[in-house]
Each structure stands twice: as structure tokens, then as C-alpha cells.
Amino acid sequence: MKNAEIARIFQEMAEMLAFLGENPFRVRAYAQAARTLADLEAPIEAVAAQGTEALEALPAIGPDLAAKIQEYLHTGAIQAHARLAQQVPQGILEVLRVPGVGPKTAKLLWDRLGVNSLETLQAALASGRVRGLPGFGEKKRRHLLENLALAETAAQRRPLGAVLGQARALLEQVRAQPGVVQAEVCGSLRRYRETVGDLDFLIATEKPAEVLAALVRLPGIADVEAVGENRATVFLQGGLQVDFKTVPPAAWGSGLQYLTGSKAHSIKLRTLAQKQGLKLNEYGVWRGKARLAGEDEEGVYRALGLPWIPPPLREDSGEIEAAQGGRLPRLVTLQEIRGDLQVHSRWSDGKASLLELAQAAAKLGYEYLAVTDHSQSLKVAHGVPLDKVQARLKEIRQVNEQTGGKPYLLAGAEVEVLADGSLDYPEKVLRGLEVVLVAVHSHFHLSRAQQTKRILRALEHPAVHILAHPTARMLGVRKELEADWEKIFRRAQALGKALEIDGYYDRMDLPDTLARQAGGMGLLFSLSTDAHQLDHLRFMELAVGTAQRAWLGPQQILNTRSLAALLDWLRAVRG
DNA sequence: GCCGTTTTCGGCCCGACTGTTTTCAGTCG
């Protein structure tokens, strides 16, 4: 799958064109095309195979960029990109990562001082050679010098689950400030994107300046980048950027819409408003000077002739058209989840006992919990050896007796898919378990054909129910497996088996785009946390968020079913 | 470079903040 590679090339081209002072709309066209590629569910190769018309049907892809995509797929490079790279020194792209340095500043520094890397930028700033350049005063020099250190962390995106707790804690502090009427975390966090670049707080208040002045002094804030009448930008210790945006309480709804984005979704909404003779901004929906909406988000969408669109759908990936056509999906909610279908106990590499897990699940109101310890050959995770399998089953039964089956522990395992696709326990052992997950934890670099064959073989084993964290990717650590996912999804569908959406924060696997593709094919999903300790059970929120981004409703989620219905399904899969 | 119940050419979302400017350019979200 070349989507990410081509997206990166288009993004670089956008940055280089901006540096060269090209038409900003042309720059934006490349950046939008990059986003289209990055968000595309299907492999771009598959789209291209259907012909140039199919490529041009993608948003922000026209004849020129379609040809460049074809060129890359045929030759492995794009000549126009190479030509730009000859005109723009390599290090300019990293200089552009420094907050406060945009294309104009980078060009000026290159033309006048030969700045072509973070090192030469540092030298130019520290030596004071920048003084006298147009627009460069002492404040700006010091400001950029400070921001140099942020070039790496500021541009970096972090797993959603790694910042969610921090964001919620900060939200409590924001809400506690005098003068704050309402506050919410918006941005990609509210949309449940798998990674977030910053935290965006919306604050309704009558006294914005006072509130912002107090907020930028909260503990944990390392650096104040900017603070004005309506907005402030700070960096937390650790480098995470936080934006505080205030609106009057009467503009709460339009503020939520504005700050939640995505950018592409908002741009399309504003264009839609224009066509109706309206204007949409963070303060409301306007016809001339008359404000038609803004109090709440529902009203904002209603004024544009649309039903409210849930944040996880707001990516300009068909949701506005679906809303116009009355075809928005009814999304699954966290409240509908009746149990967790992958957790680990002390029998393998988990920290909690079976009883502790059952008690924690009871607190969450779950009806059931699948305990799925690793199988024997995953030594690093202390996979349960064959001679311990029966003892483990016995303890599961004991806990169920002790708790009266509330919640009911399902005896399960996360079974290794070996290199050839065979499974890590004999069939008799697998048949003795109520739920069997299969998962890849090794041999990540097989060829696409071999990997596909291996996964299909595992899936086809008659005792298997669920393919766990199918792509085996780890955010920021390991890429997705190379495999023919469409083929795997089709086979799973035919076999009546389920795919997992693993909400563990650095897995988030299936990823939203693949889950949406599989969902469109009618597949069934199992949501899980892959918990290895009690507080990991909270990651169900991330699994549900991912399912929502995949447009999935409760009927497609296995663990919205009652225990009886789930047990029926588990038995039926085995025929 | 893309796109079309405004347009196949001429548009392209809208506003805030900073530092420098004395009315604005650049950057950012």
C-alpha cells in the first residue's frame, strides 16, 4: 500500500512550492491531495487499477495529480518532486517545522543568510545575524530561538490514549476557573482520531481576557507561546501544545463546531453556507448581520439544512453528503457495550487476577468478560503452557461460581498464528475454550502473498472466532503488516467470523479506515481493550471511538449483544 | 491544481495573534 508514501511526497511538494512563493491555492491543492491519500481506505494501487477516472473521482485529485500518482506507481518516483527537491535544500523542510517559521520567513533566511537546516538557523539566530532583516526585531529573534527546541516535538503526533487522561485532568482544572461557564476538549481528540497533534479547549465565558490570563498560569504549563483576547497557545512540560479558545456563551455551539473540525469538514460546511447566502464562523451562522444559530451545535447544522453530524464522522469523507441525503449512520455508543472481548490475566502477562478482572468488569456494568491469555509459544508474554491450560480453566469456573457469573468470565485465549498459519494449541485445547482469538505477534516481514495466506489459514481453523488486532501495527513503532486485507475481509465474512477493533492505546487495530472498509462489506466486529492491567479497561472508549469513525452501528458489534446471544454466536461459528 | 444549483474560468473559509508596522504581513488553527 503506497498511500502514505504518495501522501508524504505531495505534502513535501506543497511545502516546497510554498517556500518558492507559488500560488497559495496550488499549494493548498497539493496539501489537500496529501490528506486524501493519507485518509484513503483502499490501497491507491487498487484505485489506480480501475483507471484514471477512478483516481480523479477522489476528492482533491484532478487530471494532473492523478497522472502524478500513476507516474509514482509505475516508476517509483515523481519527477516534479525531484525537480522541486533540487531547488529547495533538504533541510528547509525541518526549518519549516519550527513554530513561527513559515514559508516566507524560511525563504528570507535562506536567501539572505543561507539558512538550510536547524543548525544553521540556530547559528543565525544566536549570532544575531538575523538583525536588520525585514520584519526581524529582537523579540522575534529570541522567540524563534526558544522555539527551535520545539521543532521535533511540536510537529509530532501522539497516540490519543497517551494524552486522553492528561486532557481530561486539564479540562477539570479549566472548568474550575472562575468565569468559565462551559468548557470542552475539541479538535482531533473529540473526533477520536488515533493520534493528536495538540489539545484544543473551547471555553464559554463572558470574561475571556481574565480567564485566559489565569489559564496560562496553570501548573504543568512550561511555555506560553501566545495569549490574546480570545485565544492562547501554550506548551505543556513534555512539549504537548495546548490551545485555549474562548467564545461568548451564546456562541457555544458554533465554537464547538469551529474547534472540532476537521479543517476539511469545516471548509466544506462554510462553502455550503456561502452557497445559501450565509456565513459560518466560530460565532454563529449569519445572514448579513442577523445571527441564525450558534447557541448549540445542533442549531448550527440545522441552519445549514443538515442534521447534527457526530464528531467522529467529521473528516469530509462523505458525511456531509450522507447528512444531506438523510443517510447518516446510527453509531454504536460506549453505553451499549456489554463486555470486553480481549483481556489478559496473571495466567499470562497480565497484572491482575481473574477475580480482580471480574470485579473491575462488574463495576463497569459488564455482563461478560473474555479472558484471553496468550498461548504457549509467546514466551515473552508468558503464554500459558499446555500443562497449565486445565488449571486455568478450573480457576475461571471457580471465579464464575464465586461471582454468580456476574459478570460471566468467558474462557478464551489469544492464540499465536505461527509462521505457516497453523495455531499454537492443538484443536482439542481450542475446542475446550469458549472463545478463540487468533493473532500475529511474529514474522512481520513475510511477503504480502505469504502473510495473506498465513492469516487466511488461521482464520479458517474451525475453532477460531475472531481475528485479533489484524494488522499488528503499533503506533509510532511498527507499520501495518503487508497483506491483502480485502481478501481477508471477504473470507472472514464468508466464514461468519469477526474482526477485532483493539482499543489498546498504541494499537488501535483495526485502524479506522480499514474498519470502515470492512464495515462496508458487512463484517462483524469485536471491540476490546487488550487490557493487561485493570485501568486498561478504560480503553474501550477508544475502541468505540474507532468504531464510530468507521461508521459502525450497534448491530455490527458483537459485544453489544446479550450474553445468551453472544454464546449462541460463538457456538454457531463452530457449526 | 481543483472544481461547478454562482462559474469550464475565476474563484478558492474565516478569524486571531504577534511583531513589526503606522496599516500590515506572516503564521497558525
Side-chain angles (χ1 to χ4, degrees):
Chain A
M1 180 140 145
K2 310 280 187 196
N3 304 27
E5 291 167 48
I6 303 177
R8 184 186 54 79
I9 290 174
F10 283 168
Q11 181 59 37
E12 282 187 15
M13 290 181 76
E15 289 169 14
M16 293 191 288
L17 288 166
F19 175 80
L20 294 171
E22 262 285 351
N23 174 0
F25 297 107
R26 188 167 172 235
V27 171
R28 203 178 80 177
Y30 275 90
Q32 282 177 326
R35 189 62 200 267
T36 293
L37 268 294
D39 290 347
L40 187 65
E41 296 150 29
I44 191 66
E45 300 92 314
V47 180
Q50 296 168 39
T52 301
E53 305 75 39
L55 285 175
E56 289 184 30
L58 295 173
I61 306 291
D64 184 272
L65 294 180
K68 288 187 166 70
I69 291 170
Q70 296 281 21
E71 181 191 353
Y72 184 83
L73 294 178
H74 289 130
T75 69
I78 294 173
Q79 286 191 18
H81 176 256
R83 278 196 298 275
L84 283 171
Q86 283 177 351
Q87 297 173 67
V88 181
Q90 192 63 54
I92 292 294
L93 296 177
E94 62 183 26
V95 171
L96 287 167
R97 304 272 174 276
V98 178
V101 177
K104 296 287 201 297
T105 306
K107 184 69 162 43
L108 181 71
L109 290 167
W110 162 242
D111 285 343
R112 304 283 282 272
L113 301 175
V115 166
N116 64 357
S117 66
L118 291 181
E119 291 72 30
T120 48
L121 175 60
Q122 156 87 33
L125 291 168
S127 70
R129 281 192 296 134
V130 293
R131 265 192 284 268
L133 292 183
F136 260 91
E138 179 56 15
K139 270 191 177 175
K140 188 163 183 171
R141 187 189 75 86
R142 276 211 311 273
H143 184 66
L144 292 184
L145 203 50
E146 282 170 17
N147 282 0
L148 253 177
L150 293 169
E152 306 239 328
T153 52
Q156 173 194 339
R157 295 186 68 87
R158 301 154 197 251
L160 170 59
V163 299
L164 196 57
Q166 201 178 5
R168 297 261 163 83
L170 189 51
L171 180 61
E172 288 312 304
Q173 292 183 287
V174 171
R175 285 177 172 162
Q177 288 299 315
V180 172
V181 178
Q182 272 191 96
E184 195 54 78
V185 194
C186 300
S188 44
L189 186 141
R190 185 166 178 240
R191 304 198 312 276
Y192 283 98
R193 264 194 77 179
E194 64 193 28
T195 59
V196 298
D198 62 7
L199 301 179
D200 297 301
F201 287 84
L202 181 72
I203 296 141
T205 177
E206 305 278 11
K207 301 173 176 173
E210 285 172 42
V211 166
L212 288 175
L215 290 180
V216 300
R217 283 198 285 272
L218 284 176
I221 291 174
D223 188 28
V224 179
E225 169 77 5
V227 51
E229 289 283 312
N230 298 296
R231 198 162 62 80
T233 297
V234 302
F235 291 96
L236 301 182
Q237 286 153 13
L240 183 60
Q241 182 178 329
V242 175
D243 294 321
F244 297 114
K245 163 80 184 171
T246 63
V247 289
W252 175 248
S254 44
L256 278 178
Q257 195 293 310
Y258 160 80
L259 205 59
T260 300
S262 67
K263 198 167 192 172
H265 175 88
S266 290
I267 287 176
K268 190 165 253 185
L269 278 191
R270 287 172 179 198
T271 308
L272 197 64
Q274 273 192 334
K275 286 177 186 160
Q276 301 173 44
L278 306 174
K279 186 175 80 170
L280 169 64
N281 61 21
E282 59 263 54
Y283 304 112
V285 180
W286 307 80
R287 185 184 301 283
K289 300 233 187 270
R291 204 173 78 129
L292 308 184
E295 297 272 344
D296 56 64
E297 247 186 352
E298 287 78 3
V300 170
Y301 282 92
R302 200 182 317 120
L304 302 176
L306 300 171
W308 180 77
I309 299 176
L313 301 184
R314 299 182 194 172
E315 299 290 348
D316 188 22
S317 60
E319 76 282 4
I320 292 174
E321 293 78 1
Q324 287 173 320
R327 298 186 312 274
L328 279 179
R330 146 82 162 88
L331 301 177
V332 63
T333 64
L334 184 57
Q335 291 68 36
E336 290 172 298
I337 300 299
R338 302 199 194 202
D340 195 328
L341 292 180
Q342 188 190 167
V343 306
H344 298 261
S345 78
R346 234 176 256 157
W347 281 95
S348 59
D349 59 347
K351 298 278 192 293
S353 69
L354 292 172
L355 181 61
E356 287 165 341
L357 283 165
Q359 288 166 339
K363 270 191 205 153
L364 294 171
Y366 284 163
E367 287 179 43
Y368 47 83
L369 187 71
V371 284
T372 55
D373 285 298
H374 291 286
S375 59
Q376 54 179 340
S377 70
L378 194 64
K379 308 287 189 205
V380 291
H382 308 109
V384 181
L386 273 179
D387 62 1
K388 297 258 176 68
V389 165
Q390 289 308 318
R392 178 173 173 273
L393 289 180
K394 189 175 161 199
E395 191 189 323
I396 291 172
R397 278 195 299 272
Q398 284 171 347
V399 170
N400 278 332
E401 281 166 24
Q402 191 176 341
T403 62
K406 292 184 184 346
Y408 179 72
L409 292 189
L410 289 147
E414 183 188 13
V415 179
E416 288 303 293
V417 177
L418 304 177
D420 64 354
S422 60
L423 299 184
D424 193 28
Y425 281 143
E427 179 159 355
K428 182 151 178 260
V429 168
L430 297 176
R431 293 268 178 195
L433 296 164
E434 291 169 294
V435 54
V436 172
L437 280 53
V438 288
V440 169
H441 295 103
S442 65
H443 302 90
F444 301 115
H445 298 298
L446 300 181
S447 73
R448 180 182 159 94
Q450 278 180 305
Q451 200 70 270
T452 305
K453 195 175 156 198
R454 171 194 190 194
I455 294 171
L456 286 176
R457 184 176 170 199
L459 203 54
E460 283 162 0
H461 189 293
V464 168
H465 298 104
I466 296 166
L467 179 60
H469 52 69
T471 77
R473 65 101 178 248
M474 307 265 285
L475 286 168
V477 177
R478 186 168 65 225
K479 286 179 58 178
E480 296 171 5
L481 297 177
E482 286 284 338
D484 184 344
W485 296 111
E486 194 184 340
K487 192 170 181 180
I488 291 165
F489 296 162
R490 263 207 312 274
R491 194 79 192 108
Q493 162 79 341
L495 292 163
K497 301 195 174 181
L499 302 172
E500 185 185 59
I501 296 178
D502 184 324
Y504 192 80
Y505 78 102
D506 67 358
R507 285 199 182 271
M508 301 283 268
D509 187 9
L510 286 172
D512 50 13
T513 52
L514 277 173
R516 186 172 172 192
Q517 183 188 353
M521 296 166 68
L523 270 103
L524 198 54
F525 295 83
S526 156
L527 304 193
S528 81
T529 64
D530 206 345
H532 284 68
Q533 53 194 57
L534 297 179
D535 75 331
H536 290 164
L537 292 171
R538 73 182 191 279
F539 292 140
M540 185 57 76
E541 182 186 355
L542 303 186
V544 171
T546 303
Q548 292 177 335
R549 290 178 60 82
W551 294 50
L552 297 176
Q555 72 291 344
Q556 277 184 276
I557 309 296
L558 202 48
N559 37 331
T560 59
R561 299 185 182 183
S562 68
L563 174 60
L566 176 63
L567 290 169
D568 283 345
W569 180 82
L570 290 168
R571 281 190 289 265
V573 167
R574 288 175 172 173

